[in-house]
Amino acid sequence: MNKLTLMTRLTLGAAVGALALTSCAGTGDDETAPESTLTQDQAQTDTSSPDAQAHDHDPDGGPPPSGIQEATDPTYAVGDHVILNADHMPGMDGAEATISGAFDTTTYSVSYTPTDGGDPVTDHKWVVHEELEDPGEAPLEAGSQVLLNADHMPGMNGAEATIDRSTDETVYMVDFEMDGMEMTNHKWVVESEIQPGN
């Protein structure tokens, strides 16, 4: 009798749980469908670390912004094979990459609310000085309010942002493969987030 009661309780508990999960689904699910392409491990990583928030990047990062200066003597030259030490996106840390551009500028981590109604993004790495609308002279201080002129992710271009910090390290565009997708001219990785390849 006790076994039957325990089995009945477990079955009822599972049924109630399934109904609760089903009732949470609403008509807004269609709007978040692109996020559903993340694996369970990626979703867990994204929520556990602000540095590894989900990034919905276009596979082709496009050309560097107008006015940016190519690095005159970068540690890693265009075509060099490197290993990434950055966790901007799930699957990025430890990935093999090829340098596709090296630049001398001021690079910023920023926090902003996307213009498309997406969740606020904190400590986004990175945007360069040339991707800010009328920024004035570099470097901008932490806490400065800026307007983003970058389209790394949906809702980024035209968003108001706050500078979290800056660096004058050489900044790179890289080509690499992530979760079976070829990323070209990915913007941006700073020098301290790169190590020599094998």
Side-chain angles (χ1 to χ4, degrees):
M1 181 71 176
N2 285 342
K3 287 184 179 178
L4 180 59
T5 304
L6 178 60
M7 185 63 89
T8 303
R9 288 181 186 169
L10 289 173
T11 303
L12 286 174
V16 169
L19 285 173
L21 288 174
T22 303
S23 68
C24 291
T27 58
D29 286 352
D30 292 340
E31 294 175 4
T32 58
E35 292 178 10
S36 67
T37 59
L38 294 175
T39 66
Q40 185 175 5
D41 289 342
Q42 288 172 326
Q44 288 171 352
T45 301
D46 295 341
T47 56
S48 64
S49 168
D51 288 340
Q53 290 175 346
H55 281 52
D56 186 15
H57 283 270
D58 190 310
D60 182 3
S66 155
I68 196 168
Q69 297 296 312
E70 288 188 16
T72 54
D73 188 24
T75 301
Y76 304 103
V78 171
D80 283 356
H81 296 284
V82 297
I83 304 294
L84 303 179
N85 288 335
D87 63 353
H88 308 171
M89 299 180 286
M92 188 176 193
D93 193 17
E96 295 180 6
T98 302
I99 301 295
S100 58
F103 304 92
D104 288 330
T105 187
T106 301
T107 307
Y108 302 98
S109 168
V110 295
S111 294
Y112 67 97
T113 299
T115 58
D116 63 0
D119 291 334
V121 176
T122 57
D123 196 27
H124 172 80
K125 301 181 188 80
W126 302 92
V127 295
V128 295
H129 195 76
E130 292 76 12
E131 293 176 316
L132 305 178
E133 188 72 33
D134 299 322
E137 201 163 321
L140 299 178
E141 293 183 10
S144 297
Q145 300 297 304
V146 296
L147 192 63
L148 300 179
N149 192 12
D151 58 0
H152 305 174
M153 300 189 300
M156 188 177 199
N157 196 17
E160 295 179 2
T162 302
I163 300 291
D164 295 322
R165 57 197 160 99
S166 67
T167 179
D168 61 1
E169 297 175 66
T170 301
V171 65
Y172 297 88
M173 292 191 310
V174 292
D175 298 343
F176 69 102
E177 185 176 319
M178 184 184 71
D179 296 331
M181 180 171 65
E182 292 288 337
M183 306 284 285
T184 57
N185 286 354
H186 172 77
K187 302 181 182 79
W188 300 97
V189 183
V190 296
E191 190 157 305
S192 59
E193 296 175 320
I194 298 174
Q195 65 185 25
N198 298 329

